[in-house]
Amino acid sequence: QFAGRLAIKTYHCLCSGNALGSFGSKAVSHEPLTTVGSDDEIRSYTSLPGAGVAACTSWLVKACYCSRGSDEVQSSSFSFVEVRPITGRTHQIRVHLASLGRPLVSDAFYNVAAFATESRWCPRLFLHCSRVTLRDVDGKSS
């Protein structure tokens, strides 16, 4: 069902940066992605070149937040987003949102500049698979 794109996956994530839109805003990214190996051949990374494999991600803005700054940390804006990858490419959600200037909170790979600060209050990548819908043997979604 996953290979045939019959499974529907829903994620929730927190993005850094200005709001992706007001509450209830919807959008879709159709940017193609390319995944390449890294120097150590253990990890790979994904980028948005002019050409690549088709990738589609839709999202819905669920909430927008602003943090107050302090002497050590400047104020920040965040969007809490419901995301549905239509295709299933490596790091697809992370790359599509980072390409919009809204990388995921505590993303050490695609949000390097803010990782040290964000990982102090959020020690793991703020991306959660909240729902997976599969079809039963009769072909009905459950």
Side-chain angles (χ1 to χ4, degrees), residues 27-32 48 55-59 92 96-97 99-100:
V28 178
S29 176
H30 294 283
E31 294 293 329
L48 289 169
C56 182
T57 306
S58 68
W59 64 86
Q92 177 176 321
H96 274 165
L97 292 171
S99 73
L100 298 170

Side-chain angles (χ1 to χ4, degrees), residues 11-16 43 80 91-95 97-98 102-112 115 118-129:
Y11 293 80
H12 285 89
C13 61
L14 189 66
C15 303
S16 300
R43 293 173 48 146
F80 184 65
H91 301 176
Q92 177 176 321
I93 294 170
R94 296 165 67 186
V95 173
L97 292 171
R102 309 305 188 277
L104 301 186
V105 165
S106 292
D107 190 338
F109 217 52
Y110 300 103
N111 193 13
V112 177
F115 178 72
E118 292 175 353
S119 64
R120 287 187 289 190
W121 58 269
C122 182
R124 58 179 291 275
L125 179 66
F126 204 121
L127 177 64
H128 173 70
C129 182

Side-chain angles (χ1 to χ4, degrees), residues 2 5 37 43-44 51 55 63 65 70 82 87 131 134 138 142:
F2 288 97
R5 295 186 189 157
R43 293 173 48 146
S44 62
Y65 305 99
S70 65
E82 180 179 286
T87 53
R131 183 179 186 136
L134 302 171
D138 295 325
S142 56

Side-chain angles (χ1 to χ4, degrees), residues 21-39:
S22 58
F23 173 77
S25 296
K26 295 179 181 181
V28 178
S29 176
H30 294 283
E31 294 293 329
L33 302 175
T34 298
T35 301
V36 280
S38 65
D39 295 336

